[in-house]
Amino acid sequence: MRLVNCNFCGSSSANLLYVLRDLQLGLPGEFTLVKCGNCGLLFLNPQPTWEELQPYYPEWYDSFLRKYPSLIQRYGILRRCRIVSRYQQGGRLLDVGCSTGIFLNEMRRSGHWEVYGVEPAAFPARIARECFGLQVFQQTLLEAKLPENYFNVVTWWHVLEHTPDPKECLQETYRILKPGGWVFIQTPDPNSWEAKLFGPWWEGFDAPRHLHLFPVPTLTNQLGLLGFRVRSVKSFAGNLSTAFRSLGYWLDSQGLKGLGSFAHILARSVLCRVVTFPIALLLRHTGQTFSVLYIAQKGSYG
């Protein structure tokens, strides 16, 4: 664990928000979440190193198991594909933190994309290469040292919050994008109604894997400072599963394990997702879902 200053502005002034635990996997440890007193960035401090985080990314970590997505997961992947193709109809695409490669595989199936992935974890990177034949670099984006002005699109689907240096990652994204290229960043919104309602039991905090969290004004401003033109910021979640899981964690903390288990079952239930879909759609259109999608563009002249 190491003490850090704010990654975005360098300030050492921060306010304590919560002491968090690993709710998803139930592994031991306590992690302090703070908010920068200058720019508003949220981050763990002290922050675990990548070596210390390894036990929190086991082979049975949920994102690593998605080799063949369920119907609900496929709907989410196709939504991502459609929105990328709305802004760019083809070219070279890099998915950072591509996991098992199911998004890249779907994009490649259209026939319009030359796809690449970056995934530092060995297990999902191997699945992406062996099952789908994808070109995946088993490295972080910063380690991969990819060519400058090379990609038409770079995507960060719930990955930027996992990085120890998001500012440098965004700078590197800018460098490898072609002039006029696009970046798509989906990340949890720490100012969402779910975060405010559930507090330290909100699934979006996901300590210790989420090292940083980004209020909308904070990330929008940082993208602008790095040279991006922010074209769209919108709610993007498609269901209420995180709300049910967060409710389950809170019930568990109150000693109501039976009700907590029921809430977790609802979070995984296809029927529950279908029934609550109109509510999720309303929340999305009113900007109230748990995650936000940022769409930004590199200037035409680099």
Side-chain angles (χ1 to χ4, degrees), residues 67-206:
K67 184 176 8 176
Y68 303 109
S70 67
L71 184 63
I72 294 291
Q73 290 167 345
R74 183 169 170 76
Y75 165 75
I77 293 164
L78 290 176
R79 278 188 69 218
R80 292 173 174 177
C81 294
R82 284 196 299 270
I83 198 161
V84 169
S85 298
R86 192 180 305 160
Y87 287 85
Q88 179 76 33
Q89 284 68 54
R92 293 194 187 100
L93 181 147
L94 175 72
D95 187 26
V96 183
C98 67
S99 189
T100 56
I102 53 178
F103 166 73
L104 287 175
N105 187 53
E106 196 63 48
M107 291 297 287
R108 184 178 59 181
R109 283 160 59 100
S110 73
H112 302 298
W113 294 93
E114 181 183 337
V115 299
Y116 301 83
V118 168
E119 174 52 61
F123 179 68
R126 186 173 71 249
I127 291 176
R129 289 194 294 260
E130 294 178 358
C131 293
F132 299 123
L134 295 167
Q135 185 164 342
V136 173
F137 303 95
Q138 190 193 318
Q139 296 170 300
T140 67
L141 175 65
L142 301 179
E143 291 168 343
K145 302 189 185 306
L146 298 167
E148 187 173 357
N149 299 327
Y150 191 72
F151 295 98
N152 301 95
V153 170
V154 176
T155 56
W156 291 83
W157 303 117
H158 282 293
V159 172
L160 190 63
E161 60 271 19
H162 292 259
T163 63
D165 195 341
K167 182 176 180 178
E168 189 174 0
C169 287
L170 292 173
Q171 290 172 327
E172 179 69 358
T173 297
Y174 190 92
R175 186 187 69 82
I176 65 177
L177 275 172
K178 291 183 176 182
W182 297 91
V183 61
F184 296 78
I185 304 168
Q186 186 181 7
T187 188
D189 180 7
N191 287 335
S192 66
W193 69 269
E194 290 183 24
K196 293 175 181 176
L197 177 64
F198 294 109
W201 296 281
W202 180 50
E203 187 188 34
F205 288 133
D206 196 24

